Amino acid sequence: MKPSVALKWVLRESRGARGRMLYFVACLAVGVAAVVGTAGIAESVAQGFREHSREILGADLSVSAHRPLPADLGAAFSPWPGTERADLTETASMIAAPGAAGGATRSQLAQVHAVTGRYPLFGELTTDPPGGLGVHLAADSVVVAPELLESLGLVRGDDLLVGGTRFRVAATVVRAPPRFGFASFLGPPVYVSADGLARTRLLGFGTRVRHRALFALPAGSTREDLDAAVVRIGAVPGAQYLDVDLHHQVGPGGGQTTSRLEGFLGLVALLSLVVGGIGVAQIARTWIAGRTQAIAVMRCLGLRPAEILAISLGHLGLLAVAGSVVGTAIGCAMPPIAAWIAPDLAPGGMPAVFPVWAAVRGLVLGLGIALVFSLPPLTAVWRVSPALVLRADAAPLPAPRGVLIASIALVVATVLAAAWLQARQPAWALWFTAGFAALAALLWGASRVLVWGAARLPRRRLNAYVAHGIAALARPGAGTTAAVVSLGLGAMVVVSMGLVESRLRHGLLDLAPPGAPSVFLIDVQPGQWTGVDEALRDAGATNVDRVPVVTARIAAIDGRPVEEFAETGGAAAPGERGQGRSRRSLTREQRLTSREALTSDNRVVEGALWSDPARAEVSIEQRFAVQLGVKVGSTITFDIQGVPLELAVTSLRSVQWQSLSINFFFLVEPGALGDAPGLVLASARVPPESERALRDRVTRDYPNVTVLQLGPVIAEVAALIGRVAAGVSALGTFCVVAGLLVLAGSASATMLRRRREIALLKTLGVTRGGVTALLAVEYGLAGAVAGFVGAGGALLLSWGFLTYVTEIDVDVPLVVLPLTALACAVATAASGLAAGARTLAVRPIESLRGRSS
Amino acid sequence: MSPETPLCIEFRGVTKRMPSGTRTLTILDAVDLAIPAGSFVAVLGPSGSGKSTLLGLMAGLDRPTEGGVFLDGHALGDLDEDELAMLRRRRVGFVFQDFQLLGNLTALENVLLPLELAGVRDASARGEDLLARVGLRERVDHYPSQLSGGEQQRVALARAFAGRPAVLLADEPTGNLDGATGRAALDLLVELRKSEGMTLVLVTHDPLVAERADRRIHLADGRIVRDETSA
């Protein structure tokens, strides 16, 4: 057949397609909108980060370490004369309002940034009064966030204590470079000068400080210049301890967590599209079933099955284009809406750009999923016997097994490819495809059981409407399977996200183990412990625990210097592995502690604790041991203030981190640390009403001690989880809407065939209300089964995720099963009846005429 | 018809059985039949005698349980579904009792179907000419649902003749029409066949319709019980 003729036939086939077009386009558009919307928002956020990347980092390039930076670091930039540099020293510390006697009254944990040079090198840090840090910072003055003043009850011009040293608040921050990561949970920023920091007692032994150098290359420098600078930094002695961040690696794409979140959201969106694909398949199946006679005529006239398939596919392709375009248009409108609802999604706001790639991705995926999902039902054209034109009872021809198997294989391959495109991680794509197939199979099985049961259930004693409604589920072409599968998948997404979010939030906020600490006291000097302990007791603290902490670095593993493992490439991303080991884990500053016996939240999983009297031993948390590349039998040499200490790894431990108690990766045999200089870390459960008083007292008496209250940090994390979960739930709603559309489309298509049946029922005396009731029973039952199985899958998924990924002990709220079943039953009955409203109005005379006047 | 005239359709010991519940029905029983090219044959018989099955087998719409069917020298049993479709496309036209027009196509588009399949260049002109010949010049753009039964059958006739098939198979072409309309449709069918010169096999249970044919084959219980030729 000539292509021009085929095209003509495709266009003709599209006549009178309004009915199926509505649901076909709607099913597809919902899924495409979810995909485009998610990708579009991610694209806009990424664009926002790209546009402001230098402002976010405050530089072209940042070099940081937990030790003083190499003196000759600046020499690495000698090929680029005119390179500008600013230095920051960052630490967390208690900030206090001075009392009448000079001691502290109210206090607050804050992030202290000591600045040398012009900061930031890009973007701006504006102050009130204007002038910036260069004007307002001096040895005795600070610039602080306004919320810190509010918390301390101070105003601009007042004095405050940083590390026990008095400073005048010269200005407040109006706008500053955004902060990311855990540091942003640790309180508002305080800017001091380098001289000012030197006046404090914060840089004493054991304080956790991060040194950072920011660089701005001369104007006109390229990405290649930055890469060359990274190479030169890698050649600086001590480069293995340096972390290098480039401005274009900031945020999504550079941030591994953000990329994973984007991939996860992309898969949830894809689920909506796949559910829409099921709807498309169902509509194609119903359409082809209704075209049987026409197909027989076409075959009679000499069209081959493959030609009829091509024409049918071409027609559905036109509908798919319409659905994809509508969905893409809706999806493209989502980024501005998201920017309006959550303006802080990207620093500096989300730019108003047309998400080109998101739109292309949506169109390709929409068209691909629609066509591929249509293929299996369209293979039915092979089974249509041309003899149907002569005899209505002509037997169907044999199914084309090869074509059918190939089309199903194509569906699986397409879902896999789409999942890979969305998540960009092959393992995720495989899990998504396998999980989707398993759940779809489970839902398919449930729907078959429902149909089987509906056909065999003794209905004699049931109400007539209920009996008829149940029987209708089993009639041929009812579309029960597609409706149950698609709706069940939608219900599963929404319910599982709701469960995970509520359990995580609940687990974080309320389900801390009884007696779990609520306050940590960090960097307590040994001589200060008596006073701190007294303050704790006065505050009514219970479960007080304290351990010695010695800071050290790993010098060698099994006698080989750590430098051999940690590659010198300074530009290595956080967590990058050198020779199978994590570079950051190898080079970071380690904290060693010592205990005689394990606490209840620790368990030896390999080896034995303190089992070798001949050697000094260390026990390592099992996952961290993997990152270090050590096992039982290895030796680790630590560098403690220049003194080497070799320890034998004799046991690996599992740690229940969610107990929130004091735990370390390294546990050293008592006595092995000798008189190594160390500090004390303490934890305690303090009544909430006493926390503030304790914090203020400890800050007043021991300014170097950091008081970390877990409550506010957990609340911040819970709020963040809540926002992510809300986004996922919103995407899950797309999935449910797609599921309902599948059901409505199926109902609408079958309603056309049921006109005479309904007219006949009315002729026999069934009222319109009665017909409505029996249809509601039919749809409601399908919805209830979909909801029940979907909720079951959600319980399984969320339980697995919470238990094995987050390691939170959770109950299984079985009440979700009936509640979801009920909700789905109501929703499906409503959507099914709405879709068939016109058919419900059919007049009884049509049972005689067969056609409406 | 001279003895040298080539055969258009030939049945050699054709039997067709079909399952019916737990039984197997024999629809055609060892039928031998030869139809020369250019002849007009009527197949008569009561309901269930196997008339339509015979017609379906002639066009390769169905396959015999035993025996062989030959169309224009092609053994239909040797052809797969695609090859049968191509043979029908080139050689066979149909007229059905219930017209079998495609509802989403206009009258003209229904007529154009075989022409487009054959890749005919001036398809529209021939389609319009044929519709004019069946008296539907003014109704070319009407859909089947906008036409009467008689008009639909005339469109079906135009479609059947459009591709100039070698064989025209008609299954009760007047069965769904009233007397006058049926007679008019039959007149048209006979006239068009005469002008186009193709083989026509017409299934009917109406002796008056069969009278118009050159040859009448009577079927009963799946067997040919009488084969008569007009003088």
Side-chain angles (χ1 to χ4, degrees):
Chain A
M1 188 188 294
K2 287 181 183 171
S4 58
V5 173
L7 181 63
K8 199 184 290 181
W9 285 37
V10 163
L11 293 173
R12 287 175 188 164
E13 202 65 36
S14 303
R15 288 179 194 155
R18 200 170 47 188
R20 66 179 167 279
M21 180 186 280
L22 175 69
Y23 288 104
F24 192 105
V25 168
C27 281
L28 201 57
V30 168
V32 171
V35 167
V36 175
T38 311
I41 290 170
E43 213 172 283
S44 293
V45 170
Q47 179 69 16
F49 272 89
R50 273 195 297 274
E51 286 182 6
H52 300 279
S53 63
R54 287 186 172 86
E55 289 90 331
I56 293 166
L57 192 63
D60 280 323
L61 184 152
S62 153
V63 181
S64 62
H66 280 295
R67 53 168 57 187
L69 299 174
D72 46 358
L73 178 63
F77 293 86
S78 57
W80 300 279
T83 296
E84 203 176 349
R85 172 173 177 167
D87 280 89
L88 291 177
T89 307
E90 301 163 332
T91 186
S93 177
M94 303 306 294
I95 308 297
T105 52
R106 298 167 81 175
S107 59
Q108 160 85 50
L109 181 62
Q111 281 286 306
V112 177
H113 303 271
V115 180
T116 306
R118 184 172 70 86
Y119 175 80
L121 296 176
F122 293 95
E124 56 180 359
L125 192 154
T126 54
T127 54
D128 178 22
L133 299 182
V135 169
H136 296 293
L137 284 190
D140 60 349
S141 63
V142 292
V143 174
V144 302
E147 60 266 30
L148 180 67
L149 292 185
E150 192 180 337
S151 166
L152 299 177
L154 301 175
V155 294
R156 184 154 47 84
D158 286 349
D159 286 354
L160 51 64
L161 301 173
V162 179
T165 306
R166 189 178 282 259
F167 288 85
R168 183 176 55 83
V169 178
T172 54
V173 175
V174 175
R175 188 178 168 193
R179 299 182 305 150
F180 294 96
F182 187 69
S184 61
F185 293 128
L186 294 181
V190 173
Y191 296 94
V192 301
S193 64
D195 292 343
L197 183 66
R199 290 176 53 227
T200 68
R201 305 174 206 169
L202 291 178
L203 294 184
F205 164 72
T207 309
R208 198 168 173 80
V209 175
R210 189 155 191 89
H211 303 270
R212 185 183 301 276
L214 302 175
F215 294 92
L217 269 60
S221 300
T222 62
R223 183 79 61 91
E224 287 70 32
D225 291 323
L226 278 177
D227 292 339
V230 170
V231 172
R232 290 181 61 83
I233 292 167
V236 171
Q240 67 269 32
Y241 300 111
L242 303 178
D243 289 317
V244 179
D245 296 301
L246 300 173
H247 74 88
H248 55 267
Q249 292 172 341
V250 170
Q256 202 179 18
T257 306
T258 319
S259 293
R260 289 164 75 98
L261 182 63
E262 187 186 334
F264 176 70
L265 292 176
L267 287 180
V268 176
L270 178 63
L271 198 57
S272 303
L273 184 55
V274 173
V275 167
I278 294 173
V280 162
Q282 172 66 6
I283 291 167
R285 192 173 75 89
T286 312
W287 174 55
I288 282 295
R291 294 279 292 160
T292 302
Q293 199 64 25
I295 291 168
V297 173
M298 287 188 200
R299 295 199 62 174
C300 232
L301 294 175
L303 265 90
R304 288 169 290 185
E307 289 171 328
I308 300 172
L309 177 84
I311 292 166
S312 307
L313 206 58
H315 162 60
L316 294 182
L318 287 180
L319 296 187
V321 168
S324 301
V325 168
V326 170
T328 300
I330 296 170
C332 286
M334 286 165 70
I337 295 171
W340 178 65
I341 294 172
D344 55 343
L345 270 178
M350 281 161 60
V353 292
F354 181 77
V356 178
W357 289 113
V360 170
R361 191 194 294 190
L363 287 171
V364 168
L365 283 181
L367 201 57
I369 291 276
L371 291 179
V372 168
F373 273 65
S374 299
L375 269 178
L378 288 186
T379 58
V381 300
W382 264 270
R383 300 207 67 201
V384 176
S385 168
L388 272 177
V389 294
L390 299 171
R391 291 194 331 268
D393 62 344
L397 298 176
R401 281 181 184 274
V403 178
L404 191 61
I405 291 169
S407 65
I408 290 171
L410 193 60
V411 168
V412 175
T414 303
V415 172
L416 188 66
W420 179 81
L421 186 68
Q422 289 290 89
R424 304 288 170 88
Q425 303 203 32
W428 285 28
L430 277 171
W431 275 109
F432 176 86
T433 309
F436 171 76
L439 281 163
L442 186 72
L443 286 160
W444 179 84
S447 72
R448 298 317 296 166
V449 169
L450 173 69
V451 169
W452 183 86
R456 285 160 184 78
L457 186 77
R459 297 188 289 268
R460 212 174 291 171
R461 292 189 174 183
L462 294 174
N463 172 291
Y465 301 135
V466 175
H468 200 97
I470 291 173
L473 281 169
R475 79 191 137 72
T480 307
T481 304
V484 169
V485 171
S486 49
L487 196 66
L489 283 169
M492 187 205 69
V493 173
V494 170
V495 173
S496 57
M497 280 323 300
L499 281 173
V500 167
E501 190 265 337
S502 73
R503 262 39 198 178
L504 265 184
R505 198 188 279 250
H506 194 49
L508 280 167
L509 294 178
D510 306 323
L511 289 184
S518 58
V519 170
F520 281 84
L521 297 112
I522 303 165
D523 296 342
V524 182
Q525 291 169 8
Q528 296 172 328
W529 174 246
T530 308
V532 170
D533 189 34
E534 191 181 325
L536 282 168
R537 290 185 198 292
D538 290 348
T542 54
N543 296 357
V544 177
D545 186 21
R546 69 171 174 128
V547 290
V549 180
V550 171
T551 54
R553 288 187 183 278
I554 298 174
I557 294 175
D558 291 330
R560 287 176 63 191
V562 76
E563 289 79 1
E564 289 186 18
F565 301 112
E567 293 173 347
T568 52
E576 181 182 305
R577 286 164 186 275
Q579 298 183 13
R581 294 170 160 93
S582 161
R583 187 182 70 84
R584 172 162 277 191
S585 299
L586 289 166
T587 59
R588 61 182 257 182
E589 191 172 68
Q590 310 288 355
R591 309 238 155 181
L592 313 181
T593 191
S594 180
R595 280 189 195 273
E596 186 64 49
L598 295 182
T599 49
S600 60
D601 50 1
N602 278 246
R603 188 168 58 84
V604 171
V605 293
E606 193 180 338
L609 193 71
W610 319 151
S611 53
D612 185 351
R615 305 168 75 186
E617 301 171 46
V618 63
S619 177
I620 306 180
E621 197 270 341
Q622 57 180 346
R623 292 184 197 173
F624 195 64
V626 173
Q627 289 181 27
L628 293 177
V630 298
K631 51 193 175 189
V632 170
S634 302
T635 58
I636 301 179
T637 306
F638 288 97
D639 174 352
I640 303 174
Q641 301 291 301
V643 179
L645 173 67
E646 184 179 282
L647 298 171
V649 180
T650 53
S651 65
L652 302 182
R653 289 169 294 126
S654 69
V655 176
Q656 280 182 295
W657 296 101
Q658 67 270 26
S659 72
L660 302 181
S661 302
I662 295 176
N663 274 300
F664 286 88
F665 291 133
F666 293 106
L667 196 58
V668 180
E669 185 180 10
L673 290 171
D675 54 358
L679 295 168
V680 171
L681 171 65
S683 69
R685 187 163 186 83
V686 178
E689 65 276 10
S690 304
E691 278 190 17
R692 179 162 196 134
L694 172 71
R695 188 183 71 193
D696 293 344
R697 178 174 166 182
V698 170
T699 304
R700 183 193 66 209
D701 297 344
Y702 310 104
N704 63 297
V705 174
T706 299
V707 181
L708 179 65
Q709 294 168 268
L710 280 185
V713 174
I714 288 176
E716 286 272 354
V717 175
L720 182 67
I721 290 171
R723 286 181 66 177
V724 172
V728 178
S729 293
L731 278 176
T733 309
F734 274 82
C735 209
V736 170
V737 171
L740 287 174
L741 280 169
V742 172
L743 180 115
S746 171
S748 171
T750 54
M751 276 295 196
L752 292 174
R753 283 190 277 156
R754 296 177 77 177
R755 284 182 76 89
R756 292 198 68 183
E757 174 193 334
I758 291 170
L760 183 63
L761 286 170
K762 288 185 174 177
T763 305
L764 295 174
V766 180
T767 62
R768 186 170 172 173
V771 176
T772 306
L774 67 88
L775 288 175
V777 168
E778 178 187 340
Y779 297 139
L781 271 174
V785 169
F788 192 85
V789 178
L795 281 178
L796 213 65
L797 263 183
S798 51
W799 175 82
F801 176 79
L802 291 168
T803 305
Y804 294 106
V805 179
T806 68
E807 298 184 2
I808 287 180
D809 290 329
V810 287
D811 56 328
V812 178
L814 293 176
V815 69
V816 165
L817 293 171
L819 284 180
T820 312
L822 184 66
C824 284
V826 172
T828 48
S831 64
L833 290 174
R838 283 179 63 188
T839 310
L840 280 171
V842 66
R843 285 182 291 166
I845 189 68
E846 291 192 27
S847 63
L848 301 177
R849 275 210 294 252
R851 189 156 58 149
S852 174
S853 58
Chain B
M1 205 70 55
S2 73
E4 289 78 30
T5 307
L7 289 180
C8 179
I9 297 166
E10 187 181 6
F11 277 43
R12 292 180 193 164
V14 169
T15 296
K16 178 68 180 176
R17 297 189 195 94
M18 274 191 270
S20 174
T22 54
R23 298 184 306 143
T24 300
L25 294 180
T26 300
I27 310 295
L28 291 176
D29 189 4
V31 170
D32 290 308
L33 176 65
I35 299 176
S39 57
F40 175 10
V41 177
V43 180
L44 290 115
S47 293
S49 59
K51 304 186 297 291
S52 294
T53 303
L54 188 85
L55 204 67
L57 290 170
M58 284 178 185
L61 302 182
D62 217 345
R63 292 184 185 272
T65 312
E66 291 167 17
V69 178
F70 299 83
L71 179 67
D72 266 357
H74 297 281
L76 300 190
D78 294 341
L79 306 181
D80 64 20
E81 287 297 322
D82 281 352
E83 290 165 332
L84 285 172
M86 293 304 288
L87 185 66
R88 281 195 295 272
R89 184 185 295 190
R90 291 192 300 265
R91 309 294 295 166
V92 186
F94 289 94
V95 181
F96 304 104
Q97 180 178 355
D98 46 2
F99 327 132
Q100 299 285 8
L101 299 178
L102 296 179
N104 60 326
L105 305 186
T106 64
L108 178 61
E109 287 166 348
N110 265 288
V111 176
L112 290 179
L113 279 175
L115 298 172
E116 289 172 345
L117 275 174
V120 175
R121 282 193 177 174
D122 56 343
S124 289
R126 176 160 169 78
E128 285 174 16
D129 177 53
L130 275 166
L131 281 173
R133 286 173 70 183
V134 299
L136 293 174
R137 183 191 297 275
E138 306 302 322
R139 318 213 68 175
V140 289
D141 291 328
H142 285 63
Y143 286 92
S145 59
Q146 298 167 318
L147 300 172
S148 69
E151 288 171 330
Q152 287 189 51
Q153 192 59 302
R154 280 189 274 161
V155 174
L157 283 174
R159 182 178 70 184
F161 284 93
R164 294 196 171 94
V167 188
L168 188 61
L169 303 174
D171 183 32
E172 303 269 14
T174 59
N176 271 3
L177 303 175
D178 62 55
T181 312
R183 276 193 298 278
L186 186 62
D187 289 343
L188 198 55
L189 176 62
V190 172
E191 183 191 321
L192 284 169
R193 185 200 82 85
K194 196 175 281 178
S195 64
E196 301 286 338
M198 71 245 324
T199 307
L200 172 61
V201 179
L202 183 148
V203 163
T204 182
H205 63 271
D206 185 344
L208 290 176
V209 172
E211 275 305 312
R212 309 283 294 269
D214 308 325
R215 181 182 169 193
R216 287 162 293 283
I217 295 168
H218 295 261
L219 280 179
D221 297 328
R223 290 173 172 274
I224 296 176
V225 291
R226 199 166 71 210
D227 189 345
E228 52 187 6
T229 308
S230 299

PDB file of all heavy atoms in Angstrom, chain A residues 156-171:
ATOM      1  N   ARG A 156      20.249  45.673  66.684  1.00  0.00           N
ATOM      2  CA  ARG A 156      21.491  46.136  66.086  1.00  0.00           C
ATOM      3  C   ARG A 156      22.141  47.195  66.987  1.00  0.00           C
ATOM      4  O   ARG A 156      21.457  48.060  67.535  1.00  0.00           O
ATOM      5  CB  ARG A 156      21.192  46.713  64.704  1.00  0.00           C
ATOM      6  CG  ARG A 156      22.387  47.141  63.925  1.00  0.00           C
ATOM      7  CD  ARG A 156      22.087  47.089  62.439  1.00  0.00           C
ATOM      8  NE  ARG A 156      20.801  47.701  62.096  1.00  0.00           N
ATOM      9  CZ  ARG A 156      20.624  49.002  61.890  1.00  0.00           C
ATOM     10  NH1 ARG A 156      21.624  49.823  62.019  1.00  0.00           N
ATOM     11  NH2 ARG A 156      19.424  49.453  61.552  1.00  0.00           N
ATOM     12  N   GLY A 157      23.433  47.086  67.158  1.00  0.00           N
ATOM     13  CA  GLY A 157      24.148  48.009  68.029  1.00  0.00           C
ATOM     14  C   GLY A 157      24.447  47.397  69.386  1.00  0.00           C
ATOM     15  O   GLY A 157      25.345  47.849  70.094  1.00  0.00           O
ATOM     16  N   ASP A 158      23.671  46.351  69.768  1.00  0.00           N
ATOM     17  CA  ASP A 158      23.930  45.660  71.036  1.00  0.00           C
ATOM     18  C   ASP A 158      25.199  44.825  70.925  1.00  0.00           C
ATOM     19  O   ASP A 158      25.698  44.571  69.835  1.00  0.00           O
ATOM     20  CB  ASP A 158      22.766  44.731  71.389  1.00  0.00           C
ATOM     21  CG  ASP A 158      21.550  45.515  71.858  1.00  0.00           C
ATOM     22  OD1 ASP A 158      21.697  46.740  72.091  1.00  0.00           O
ATOM     23  OD2 ASP A 158      20.464  44.904  71.970  1.00  0.00           O
ATOM     24  N   ASP A 159      25.631  44.345  72.064  1.00  0.00           N
ATOM     25  CA  ASP A 159      26.762  43.422  72.090  1.00  0.00           C
ATOM     26  C   ASP A 159      26.254  41.988  72.166  1.00  0.00           C
ATOM     27  O   ASP A 159      25.145  41.733  72.664  1.00  0.00           O
ATOM     28  CB  ASP A 159      27.653  43.701  73.311  1.00  0.00           C
ATOM     29  CG  ASP A 159      28.486  44.971  73.131  1.00  0.00           C
ATOM     30  OD1 ASP A 159      28.438  45.535  72.007  1.00  0.00           O
ATOM     31  OD2 ASP A 159      29.144  45.372  74.096  1.00  0.00           O
ATOM     32  N   LEU A 160      27.068  41.053  71.688  1.00  0.00           N
ATOM     33  CA  LEU A 160      26.774  39.629  71.892  1.00  0.00           C
ATOM     34  C   LEU A 160      28.094  38.900  72.084  1.00  0.00           C
ATOM     35  O   LEU A 160      29.180  39.450  71.869  1.00  0.00           O
ATOM     36  CB  LEU A 160      25.952  39.033  70.738  1.00  0.00           C
ATOM     37  CG  LEU A 160      26.382  39.197  69.282  1.00  0.00           C
ATOM     38  CD1 LEU A 160      27.685  38.531  68.978  1.00  0.00           C
ATOM     39  CD2 LEU A 160      25.287  38.627  68.376  1.00  0.00           C
ATOM     40  N   LEU A 161      27.980  37.642  72.549  1.00  0.00           N
ATOM     41  CA  LEU A 161      29.173  36.860  72.851  1.00  0.00           C
ATOM     42  C   LEU A 161      29.343  35.744  71.836  1.00  0.00           C
ATOM     43  O   LEU A 161      28.417  34.958  71.608  1.00  0.00           O
ATOM     44  CB  LEU A 161      29.068  36.245  74.263  1.00  0.00           C
ATOM     45  CG  LEU A 161      28.903  37.239  75.418  1.00  0.00           C
ATOM     46  CD1 LEU A 161      28.643  36.502  76.722  1.00  0.00           C
ATOM     47  CD2 LEU A 161      30.158  38.109  75.552  1.00  0.00           C
ATOM     48  N   VAL A 162      30.528  35.749  71.236  1.00  0.00           N
ATOM     49  CA  VAL A 162      30.862  34.644  70.332  1.00  0.00           C
ATOM     50  C   VAL A 162      32.031  33.913  70.971  1.00  0.00           C
ATOM     51  O   VAL A 162      33.109  34.489  71.140  1.00  0.00           O
ATOM     52  CB  VAL A 162      31.268  35.169  68.933  1.00  0.00           C
ATOM     53  CG1 VAL A 162      31.643  34.004  68.023  1.00  0.00           C
ATOM     54  CG2 VAL A 162      30.171  35.998  68.317  1.00  0.00           C
ATOM     55  N   GLY A 163      31.793  32.657  71.346  1.00  0.00           N
ATOM     56  CA  GLY A 163      32.859  31.921  72.038  1.00  0.00           C
ATOM     57  C   GLY A 163      33.275  32.628  73.320  1.00  0.00           C
ATOM     58  O   GLY A 163      34.447  32.589  73.696  1.00  0.00           O
ATOM     59  N   GLY A 164      32.324  33.315  73.946  1.00  0.00           N
ATOM     60  CA  GLY A 164      32.605  34.001  75.195  1.00  0.00           C
ATOM     61  C   GLY A 164      33.227  35.368  75.010  1.00  0.00           C
ATOM     62  O   GLY A 164      33.452  36.091  75.987  1.00  0.00           O
ATOM     63  N   THR A 165      33.507  35.761  73.798  1.00  0.00           N
ATOM     64  CA  THR A 165      34.137  37.059  73.537  1.00  0.00           C
ATOM     65  C   THR A 165      33.090  38.052  73.055  1.00  0.00           C
ATOM     66  O   THR A 165      32.232  37.718  72.230  1.00  0.00           O
ATOM     67  CB  THR A 165      35.237  36.901  72.472  1.00  0.00           C
ATOM     68  OG1 THR A 165      36.137  35.888  72.900  1.00  0.00           O
ATOM     69  CG2 THR A 165      35.998  38.190  72.261  1.00  0.00           C
ATOM     70  N   ARG A 166      33.181  39.260  73.557  1.00  0.00           N
ATOM     71  CA  ARG A 166      32.162  40.261  73.282  1.00  0.00           C
ATOM     72  C   ARG A 166      32.385  40.946  71.924  1.00  0.00           C
ATOM     73  O   ARG A 166      33.500  41.340  71.608  1.00  0.00           O
ATOM     74  CB  ARG A 166      32.182  41.311  74.400  1.00  0.00           C
ATOM     75  CG  ARG A 166      31.041  42.305  74.378  1.00  0.00           C
ATOM     76  CD  ARG A 166      31.160  43.245  75.570  1.00  0.00           C
ATOM     77  NE  ARG A 166      30.715  42.642  76.807  1.00  0.00           N
ATOM     78  CZ  ARG A 166      29.535  42.858  77.365  1.00  0.00           C
ATOM     79  NH1 ARG A 166      28.670  43.650  76.756  1.00  0.00           N
ATOM     80  NH2 ARG A 166      29.212  42.286  78.498  1.00  0.00           N
ATOM     81  N   PHE A 167      31.340  41.068  71.166  1.00  0.00           N
ATOM     82  CA  PHE A 167      31.369  41.773  69.871  1.00  0.00           C
ATOM     83  C   PHE A 167      30.166  42.698  69.794  1.00  0.00           C
ATOM     84  O   PHE A 167      29.131  42.434  70.409  1.00  0.00           O
ATOM     85  CB  PHE A 167      31.284  40.779  68.694  1.00  0.00           C
ATOM     86  CG  PHE A 167      32.531  39.963  68.471  1.00  0.00           C
ATOM     87  CD1 PHE A 167      32.748  38.786  69.179  1.00  0.00           C
ATOM     88  CD2 PHE A 167      33.478  40.367  67.542  1.00  0.00           C
ATOM     89  CE1 PHE A 167      33.886  38.036  68.970  1.00  0.00           C
ATOM     90  CE2 PHE A 167      34.615  39.606  67.326  1.00  0.00           C
ATOM     91  CZ  PHE A 167      34.829  38.440  68.042  1.00  0.00           C
ATOM     92  N   ARG A 168      30.315  43.736  69.000  1.00  0.00           N
ATOM     93  CA  ARG A 168      29.194  44.640  68.755  1.00  0.00           C
ATOM     94  C   ARG A 168      28.523  44.239  67.438  1.00  0.00           C
ATOM     95  O   ARG A 168      29.201  43.934  66.454  1.00  0.00           O
ATOM     96  CB  ARG A 168      29.699  46.085  68.655  1.00  0.00           C
ATOM     97  CG  ARG A 168      28.592  47.130  68.464  1.00  0.00           C
ATOM     98  CD  ARG A 168      29.195  48.546  68.476  1.00  0.00           C
ATOM     99  NE  ARG A 168      30.251  48.675  67.470  1.00  0.00           N
ATOM    100  CZ  ARG A 168      30.021  48.931  66.169  1.00  0.00           C
ATOM    101  NH1 ARG A 168      28.781  49.074  65.729  1.00  0.00           N
ATOM    102  NH2 ARG A 168      31.024  49.024  65.316  1.00  0.00           N
ATOM    103  N   VAL A 169      27.196  44.219  67.445  1.00  0.00           N
ATOM    104  CA  VAL A 169      26.461  43.898  66.220  1.00  0.00           C
ATOM    105  C   VAL A 169      26.421  45.157  65.361  1.00  0.00           C
ATOM    106  O   VAL A 169      25.661  46.084  65.635  1.00  0.00           O
ATOM    107  CB  VAL A 169      25.039  43.394  66.525  1.00  0.00           C
ATOM    108  CG1 VAL A 169      24.298  43.107  65.221  1.00  0.00           C
ATOM    109  CG2 VAL A 169      25.079  42.157  67.398  1.00  0.00           C
ATOM    110  N   ALA A 170      27.283  45.186  64.336  1.00  0.00           N
ATOM    111  CA  ALA A 170      27.394  46.387  63.513  1.00  0.00           C
ATOM    112  C   ALA A 170      26.306  46.461  62.455  1.00  0.00           C
ATOM    113  O   ALA A 170      25.910  47.564  62.047  1.00  0.00           O
ATOM    114  CB  ALA A 170      28.768  46.421  62.832  1.00  0.00           C
ATOM    115  N   ALA A 171      25.832  45.303  62.015  1.00  0.00           N
ATOM    116  CA  ALA A 171      24.813  45.302  60.954  1.00  0.00           C
ATOM    117  C   ALA A 171      24.122  43.950  60.933  1.00  0.00           C
ATOM    118  O   ALA A 171      24.617  42.970  61.512  1.00  0.00           O
ATOM    119  CB  ALA A 171      25.466  45.580  59.592  1.00  0.00           C
TER     120      ALA A 171
END
